[in-house]
Amino acid sequence: AEASSDSDGKPDDDDDDDTGLTEEEVVLAKTIAESPESEQSVQKAALVLRLREGIGSLGRILKTIENFKGIITHVESRASKKEGLQFEVLIKIDMSRQSLLQLIRNLRQSSALDGVTLLADNSVSIKDPWFPRHASDLDNCNHLMTKYEPDLDMNHPGFADKEYRARRKVIAEIAFAYKYGEPIPCIPYTETENETWSRVFITVLDLVPKHACVEYQRVFKKLQEERIFESHRIPQLQEVSDFLKRNTGFTLRPAAGLLTARDFLSSLAFRVFQSTQYVRHINSPYHTPEPDCIHELLGHMPLLADPSFAQFSQEIGLASLGASDEEIEKLSTIYWFTIEFGLCKEGTEVKAYGAGLLSAYGELLHALSDKCEHRPFDPSTTALQKYQDQEYQPIYFVAESFEDAKEKFRRWVAAMSRPFEVRYNPHTQRVEVLDSV
Ligand code: HBI
Ligand code: NLE
Ligand code: FE
C-alpha cells in the first residue's frame, strides 16, 4: 500500500507492491480474518510476502506454510522496485482461518521477510459468505456468549458452589469435544440433579392440561408413554434425539452453554437443536435465566416433535444463514417471542407454546395472568420489540396458530436483503444456495 507508491507522487497503478487486487477485496480479506464463524473451515486466502534477501529464502517459507497445514495452490514472484527488497511473492493458499492467523503471526517474526499482507482470493465473493452447508459444519459453530457463566457471574446461583462449578465444567467439556455423527455421551445425573428435575417436572405436569397448547400436550403424553419423560430421572439427550428423529427428523447435539445467536439459529436450518446438558442449580428450580437441560427437555422437546412447529423452527434457521447482523438480531427477537415465549389462540382461550414458559412454572402463570400485556404476533413489529432475559417478560405475542405464524413469517422473510436464496435438500441434508441476481 503503501508509503512507496504514495511517496513517488504518482497514482497507484498496479506497480510496486500492489498485486492488482481491488480495495474491496482487501476489505473482504479483513472481514474474513475477523469473522467469528469459520475458524476451522478451509478458506481461500492469498498472501503477499516481501522477501528481504532474494528468492533463496522462499523454500523455507513454503515449508513453514506446509507445516501450518496450508495447501499452496499458486505461487508467483517478481522483482521489487523497492530498494532493499528484492522480491515480492504472491502465494495462494487453502487453509483454516485459525491456522492462517497463526501462520501470518509466525511469518511476521521471520527475519527473511520485510512484510506480509493478507489479500482475498478472487474466488471468495461478498455474495458468498461462510455459513454451514451441512449439519457436520456445525462442529465449527460453538461460539459461546460470555453470559451466565457460574464461574464469572456473582449473581449466578452456582457462583459460591465449588462443586456445582466443577460439575458444569465437566459437562461443558463433553459438548466442546462433541463431533457430528457421534452418539451424545450419557451423563449419569446425580441424585441432586434428578431431584431438581423432579420438582420442575411435577409442577409442569400439573399446569399442562390447562395452560399448554394441544400440540405440546399430545407429544408430552407420547413421551410419557415411551417412558422417556418420567418424574424421577432426567432423560438422556440421545434417547430424546432418537425420539425427535422418528417424529420430525430433528436431532440434538450437546451445547456447552449459551451460543451466539448466529450459531444457535444456523443449526435449526438442518433440523438440529443445540441442547445444553447441565442442570440448573438446586436452589433455583422454578426459574433460571439461562437455558439448562430441564428447560430444553420440558420446554423445547415436545414441540420439536410436532411437524408444523418443526417446520417453523427450521424456517427461522434457514432465514438466518448468511443474514446480516441486524437481521440476525431481528430473527433472534422473533425466536424469542415465538419458540421461547410464544402464546397462541385456541378457540377463545390463550395457551402457551413457548419453551421458556413451559419449563418455568412461575412465568407460565404470569404470562397467562393479567399482569402482562398480550399483543398479536406480527413479524415486522415483533422483530423490533426490545426484551430482557433476566426477569419475566412484560409483553408476550399471541399467534393465531402455528400455521398462521409460519405464513406471516414467510412473507416477512421474503423481504429480507439477502442476495441469494437457500433451500434445504433433505436427501443430501445440505443447504443449497440459489443466486437470485
Ligand atoms: N444458545 N444454547 C443456546 N440456547 C438458546 O436458547 C439460545 C442460545 N443462543 C442464542 C439464543 N438462544 C437467543 O439469542 C435466541 O433468541 C436465538
Ligand atoms: N426461564 C426458563 C426456565 O427457567 O426454565 C429458561 C429460559 C431460557 C431462555
Ligand atoms: Fe430455549
Side-chain angles (χ1 to χ4, degrees):
E2 335 214 59
S4 79
S5 32
D6 294 335
S7 61
D8 63 17
K10 277 180 269 160
D12 195 62
D13 59 359
D14 195 38
D15 53 11
D16 273 27
D17 55 352
D18 183 343
T19 51
L21 280 128
T22 63
E23 219 167 83
E24 191 185 38
E25 284 162 332
V26 176
V27 171
L28 179 63
K30 250 186 95 189
T31 35
I32 290 170
E34 283 161 6
S35 96
E37 282 103 2
S38 41
E39 242 138 73
Q40 296 305 322
S41 73
V42 171
Q43 295 191 332
K44 294 189 180 303
L47 294 178
V48 177
L49 310 178
R50 285 185 284 275
L51 305 188
R52 216 188 279 278
E53 313 134 337
I55 203 79
S57 52
L58 186 59
R60 232 179 333 122
I61 289 163
L62 296 180
K63 191 87 208 124
T64 307
I65 295 173
E66 274 177 6
N67 288 346
F68 280 93
K69 304 233 163 20
I71 297 166
I72 298 166
T73 58
H74 183 97
V75 180
E76 214 178 298
S77 73
R78 65 177 177 191
S80 168
K81 289 183 200 158
K82 261 196 210 174
E83 240 186 4
L85 301 169
Q86 298 187 358
F87 277 92
E88 286 168 355
V89 184
L90 168 70
I91 301 178
K92 296 191 182 178
I93 323 169
D94 292 350
M95 70 195 300
S96 77
R97 187 180 89 90
Q98 217 168 39
S99 312
L100 179 64
L101 293 179
Q102 281 164 357
L103 170 69
I104 291 172
R105 234 170 274 143
N106 180 293
L107 291 176
R108 290 209 166 120
Q109 285 165 20
S110 160
S111 58
L113 290 172
D114 192 51
V116 179
T117 313
L118 171 65
L119 301 165
D121 188 271
N122 297 350
S123 60
V124 184
S125 91
I126 284 168
K127 266 177 64 189
D128 203 14
W130 188 88
F131 53 79
R133 303 296 172 102
H134 184 265
S136 57
D137 295 336
L138 298 173
D139 288 347
N140 302 321
C141 294
N142 271 313
H143 298 91
L144 287 190
M145 304 219 273
T146 51
K147 223 177 170 183
Y148 304 133
E149 285 282 311
D151 273 0
L152 306 173
D153 179 358
M154 278 176 44
N155 296 320
H156 193 287
F159 183 74
D161 185 339
K162 266 214 178 94
E163 203 181 309
Y164 181 78
R165 283 163 60 166
R167 178 74 171 153
R168 286 281 296 253
K169 279 222 170 65
V170 171
I171 297 179
E173 283 311 318
I174 292 175
F176 283 128
Y178 181 82
K179 290 278 172 283
Y180 170 78
E182 294 174 359
I184 304 170
C186 175
I187 304 231
Y189 287 109
T190 64
E191 216 172 289
T192 311
E193 288 167 333
N194 282 321
E195 167 69 21
T196 310
W197 160 267
S198 282
R199 289 198 205 167
V200 186
F201 186 84
I202 288 163
T203 61
V204 169
L205 201 57
D206 197 41
L207 295 178
V208 157
K210 196 162 176 322
H211 297 303
C213 69
V214 286
E215 293 87 346
Y216 179 92
Q217 296 197 45
R218 183 185 65 82
V219 185
F220 195 100
K221 267 205 205 86
K222 217 164 152 187
L223 282 159
Q224 285 181 297
E225 282 159 16
E226 298 196 21
R227 310 276 293 271
I228 296 171
F229 273 11
E230 295 182 294
S231 64
H232 67 281
R233 60 145 204 144
I234 302 176
Q236 291 295 329
L237 293 190
Q238 187 59 56
E239 60 180 321
V240 178
S241 181
D242 294 342
F243 173 84
L244 291 180
K245 180 122 198 217
R246 293 196 289 279
N247 285 277
T248 54
F250 253 92
T251 54
L252 301 180
R253 59 174 292 153
L258 205 62
L259 302 179
T260 63
R262 191 181 283 281
D263 282 2
F264 181 75
L265 294 174
S266 71
S267 310
L268 299 175
F270 304 91
R271 295 207 176 205
V272 171
F273 188 85
Q274 302 259 9
S275 173
T276 54
Q277 207 170 8
Y278 55 81
V279 184
R280 65 191 62 184
H281 197 271
I282 183 87
N283 288 351
S284 59
Y286 302 122
H287 188 268
T288 155
E290 66 172 345
D292 73 330
C293 75
I294 297 182
H295 162 71
E296 321 285 21
L297 291 162
L298 281 178
H300 288 288
M301 296 310 121
L303 284 177
L304 287 174
D306 176 81
S308 179
F309 187 85
Q311 182 65 31
F312 179 60
S313 306
Q314 183 178 26
E315 287 184 23
I316 295 184
L318 285 166
S320 78
L321 299 179
S324 67
D325 290 350
E326 296 77 58
E327 286 164 343
I328 291 288
E329 183 62 38
K330 289 183 183 171
L331 289 165
S332 301
T333 306
I334 287 183
Y335 179 95
W336 186 260
F337 285 115
T338 57
I339 295 179
E340 215 55 86
F341 290 101
L343 300 175
C344 62
K345 286 194 186 159
E346 236 166 58
T348 56
E349 292 182 294
V350 174
K351 304 280 181 160
Y353 72 90
L357 301 174
L358 293 162
S359 67
Y361 156 89
E363 183 155 6
L364 178 56
L365 291 178
H366 163 82
L368 296 169
S369 74
D370 53 14
K371 293 189 192 68
C372 58
E373 193 184 328
H374 288 183
R375 295 186 189 169
F377 172 67
D378 160 41
S380 56
T381 54
T382 304
L384 300 175
Q385 182 60 50
K386 291 270 165 283
Y387 65 90
Q388 48 74 37
D389 55 9
Q390 288 294 315
E391 312 276 340
Y392 295 173
Q393 303 299 315
I395 301 170
Y396 299 92
F397 289 88
V398 185
E400 295 293 321
S401 65
F402 293 162
E403 290 306 316
D404 187 63
K406 222 160 35 187
E407 240 353 276
K408 291 195 165 109
F409 180 74
R410 276 182 195 152
R411 256 178 275 137
W412 178 78
V413 165
M416 268 175 48
S417 71
R418 208 165 47 179
F420 53 83
E421 308 239 4
V422 296
R423 181 175 61 195
Y424 181 71
N425 179 339
H427 308 297
T428 59
Q429 301 183 319
R430 289 194 162 273
V431 162
E432 294 166 356
V433 177
L434 313 158
D435 269 346
S436 61
V437 187

